[in-house]
Amino acid sequence: MSKLRSVKGMNDLLPSEIGRWHRLERAFREAVERYGFAEVRTPIVEPTALFVRSIGEATDIVEKEMYTFEDKADKSLTLRPEGTASCVRAYLEHSIGNVEPVSKWYYLGPMYRRERPAKGRYRQFYQAGCEVYGDPGPYVDAELIDLVVSYLSALGITELEVQINSLGSGDTRERYRDSLLAYLRPLASKLSEDSQRRLERNPLRVLDSKAPEDQAIAAEAPSLLDHLSEDDRAHFADLCAALDAFGTPYRVEPKLVRGLDYYTRTLFEVKGLGADLGAQNTLCGGGRYDGMIRELGGADTPAIGFAMGLERLLLCLPDAEAEDTLDVFVIVQKPELRLEAAKIARTLRAEGLAVDADLRGTSMKSQLRRADRSRARFAAVIGEAELAAGKVQLKDLRAGTQEDVERSSLVARLAR
Ligand code: ATP
Ligand code: MG
């Protein structure tokens, strides 16, 4: 039988590396909760139509990256490739817009895209994201960008570039589409196969293409910012003014468009400049999608959101000092004392301490080695003598000192 392995592009996160993940996730929850966001958890699997309708048919995700399958009732289901569509579905399904004027949601979890795996690009990857419903911006847009930057700085990820652009809304988009098409049509034969195929349906996609032949052509394309309506222009100017007022650095990138069709007006990406990420240097992508809620059957509701890829953040995360994971490791001099060890461990755990013990009855040396490896702060050693005297020998594994402590005052001593 061939060896069983995980699916290509889908990785195990082993206990030895989970500390770094917890750091990212804890800091994210703390950051977004400070900005008034509450968590939403939606299913991993959704009806395929949700993603086709929201992300757009002429996108990489929908054309080739979705994990789609038929369930028993011949219903087409898809593993979610991103979080926004599911959030909007839940927002509509539960009529949240009828209950509160503004909703601020965050999510954190795995997403699935069948793309070619590379460093920072996987088939199962984790995203942390936020969505705001009911606020047309631009100040909430600036606040979201500021949130991302302050979260990343709190993690020590400071080598960043924030890029912003405006895609405009309704009319602007149509006008821009026309002038982009007029520019691209004569060059069509020089575009990549994907772009040629999508040209008429979604010429904007060409600007976001990673194919070098497309990028050269995109570089000379007419600028979106020149096509903005007066309202769009004012919205964008106010966004820039708010970021200036916050002291959040950014660069206006008129060629910025993103891989999903649903965006309007504000668009942003945060690039990581520090680690060697290659083409996978987009840490965060976000933007406004004012048309989507109505398109999916709801009332006209403005919306904006972002998502960050946690694997890419990990590649940028500076090494932190390893934290102690256990308070105490209980060690016995003889196998007969194992039950005593388990009882002491149990008492200490009831007091809120993180405690482990080696209950196999192995040598002191091997138990001490395990205590060290488990990054315990203290080892509590019990032998016959200690047991009779109602004491334990407490070793401070960091300082290398030791002392005898009454069992009754052990918790108080450890609390110091
Ligand atoms: P890219 O241009 O790198 O393909 P994208 O535009 O497809 O990114 P989004 O759909 O905007 O990405 O997703 C938001 C974020 O999720 C990205 O900025 C990135 O950090 C992360 N991400 C997207 N796809 C993957 C993947 N396959 N593996 C790991 N992280 C990913
Ligand atoms: Mg992509």
Side-chain angles (χ1 to χ4, degrees):
M1 201 176 91
S2 61
K3 247 195 225 156
L4 291 173
R5 310 202 55 132
S6 73
V7 174
K8 183 178 172 191
M10 303 203 183
N11 303 312
D12 297 312
L13 309 175
L14 296 175
S16 56
E17 50 194 332
I18 211 70
R20 286 161 62 80
W21 281 84
H22 286 169
R23 237 173 90 207
L24 281 186
E25 293 167 359
R26 208 184 309 125
F28 180 71
R29 289 180 196 282
E30 283 168 11
V32 297
E33 283 169 12
R34 272 201 300 271
Y35 280 76
F37 287 81
E39 184 177 3
V40 61
R41 297 191 190 184
T42 59
I44 303 278
V45 179
E46 296 276 2
T48 303
L50 172 64
F51 302 116
V52 175
R53 281 178 57 191
S54 61
I55 294 171
E57 278 180 87
T59 57
D60 281 349
I61 295 180
V62 171
E63 277 189 350
K64 47 193 180 195
E65 296 173 359
M66 295 204 301
Y67 282 100
T68 296
F69 58 96
E70 301 289 310
D71 83 351
K72 291 223 169 91
D74 287 340
K75 208 169 174 282
S76 181
L77 302 180
T78 293
L79 301 187
R80 63 180 186 191
E82 52 104 57
T84 299
S86 308
C87 287
V88 168
R89 185 206 38 74
Y91 177 83
L92 287 174
E93 188 165 333
H94 303 285
S95 307
I96 306 295
N98 294 342
V99 196
E100 55 189 26
V102 174
S103 304
K104 298 172 83 172
W105 289 5
Y106 78 87
Y107 60 85
L108 206 164
M111 306 295 163
Y112 301 84
R113 295 184 195 177
R114 199 174 187 294
E115 41 188 339
R116 190 202 302 262
K119 183 180 184 183
R121 188 177 299 286
Y122 312 97
R123 292 182 168 182
Q124 173 181 285
F125 59 98
Y126 284 77
Q127 278 187 345
C130 285
E131 312 289 344
V132 179
Y133 304 114
D135 185 333
Y139 297 126
V140 78
D141 310 29
E143 218 172 49
L144 272 190
I145 295 170
D146 186 45
L147 187 173
V148 172
V149 172
S150 73
Y151 165 64
L152 295 174
S153 335
L155 291 172
I157 305 175
T158 49
E159 291 178 75
L160 302 170
E161 183 176 75
V162 177
Q163 300 181 355
I164 64 172
N165 190 19
S166 175
L167 291 182
S169 43
D171 285 356
T172 301
R173 282 292 278 282
E174 283 309 305
R175 272 207 313 280
Y176 180 65
R177 207 189 114 96
D178 292 345
S179 72
L180 186 59
L181 261 178
Y183 165 76
L184 289 173
R185 270 194 195 118
L187 303 167
S189 62
K190 296 190 186 133
L191 292 169
S192 72
E193 220 174 283
D194 271 349
S195 290
Q196 289 190 28
R197 191 163 36 79
R198 292 169 182 168
L199 185 59
E200 296 296 326
R201 230 180 341 156
N202 194 345
L204 252 77
R205 285 272 65 79
V206 176
L207 302 184
D208 193 37
S209 166
K210 291 191 174 69
E213 61 269 39
D214 294 342
Q215 290 184 346
I217 291 174
E220 305 296 320
S223 168
L224 245 164
L225 292 176
D226 295 338
H227 291 73
L228 294 185
S229 69
E230 213 166 296
D231 284 353
D232 291 335
R233 207 182 292 276
H235 193 276
F236 191 58
D238 286 346
L239 165 65
C240 295
L243 290 172
D244 291 337
F246 296 165
T248 306
Y250 62 91
R251 185 166 71 76
V252 175
E253 173 48 70
K255 296 280 153 35
L256 179 65
V257 300
R258 297 176 32 66
L260 313 100
D261 278 354
Y262 50 60
Y263 289 108
T264 52
R265 289 196 164 170
T266 306
L267 198 63
F268 63 98
E269 280 193 352
V270 181
K271 303 280 184 188
L273 306 178
D276 172 26
L277 295 167
Q280 282 68 249
N281 67 342
T282 306
L283 304 180
C284 174
R288 188 160 272 294
Y289 49 99
D290 290 344
M292 196 204 293
I293 293 182
R294 196 172 61 184
E295 209 148 293
L296 294 184
D300 216 349
T301 310
I304 182 169
F306 69 79
M308 292 182 289
L310 295 188
E311 286 82 359
R312 294 187 192 178
L313 297 194
L314 272 185
L315 292 169
C316 301
L317 197 65
D319 278 327
E321 226 169 274
E323 290 166 34
D324 293 335
T325 46
L326 279 180
D327 297 308
V328 186
F329 200 98
V330 186
I331 287 172
V332 289
Q333 273 165 351
K334 294 163 118 178
E336 299 77 66
L337 297 173
R338 283 178 298 163
L339 182 55
E340 281 309 314
K343 280 161 60 184
I344 290 184
R346 195 167 175 274
T347 311
L348 296 177
R349 287 171 186 146
E351 295 293 333
L353 295 164
V355 186
D356 202 359
D358 196 324
L359 302 176
R360 299 171 304 166
T362 54
S363 71
M364 285 272 288
K365 201 169 140 202
S366 116
Q367 293 176 70
L368 271 166
R369 214 169 25 231
R370 248 188 91 187
D372 260 333
R373 196 169 296 162
S374 66
R375 305 203 54 83
R377 176 82 166 82
F378 293 97
V381 183
I382 35 178
E384 299 281 10
E386 283 86 3
L387 192 64
K391 292 187 171 177
V392 304
Q393 200 187 94
L394 193 66
K395 287 178 186 295
D396 183 328
L397 296 176
R398 215 185 293 154
T401 56
Q402 65 179 60
E403 61 188 297
D404 281 349
V405 180
E406 298 281 346
R407 258 169 93 158
S408 56
S409 53
L410 190 56
V411 172
R413 166 66 190 83
L414 289 168
R416 271 208 335 255

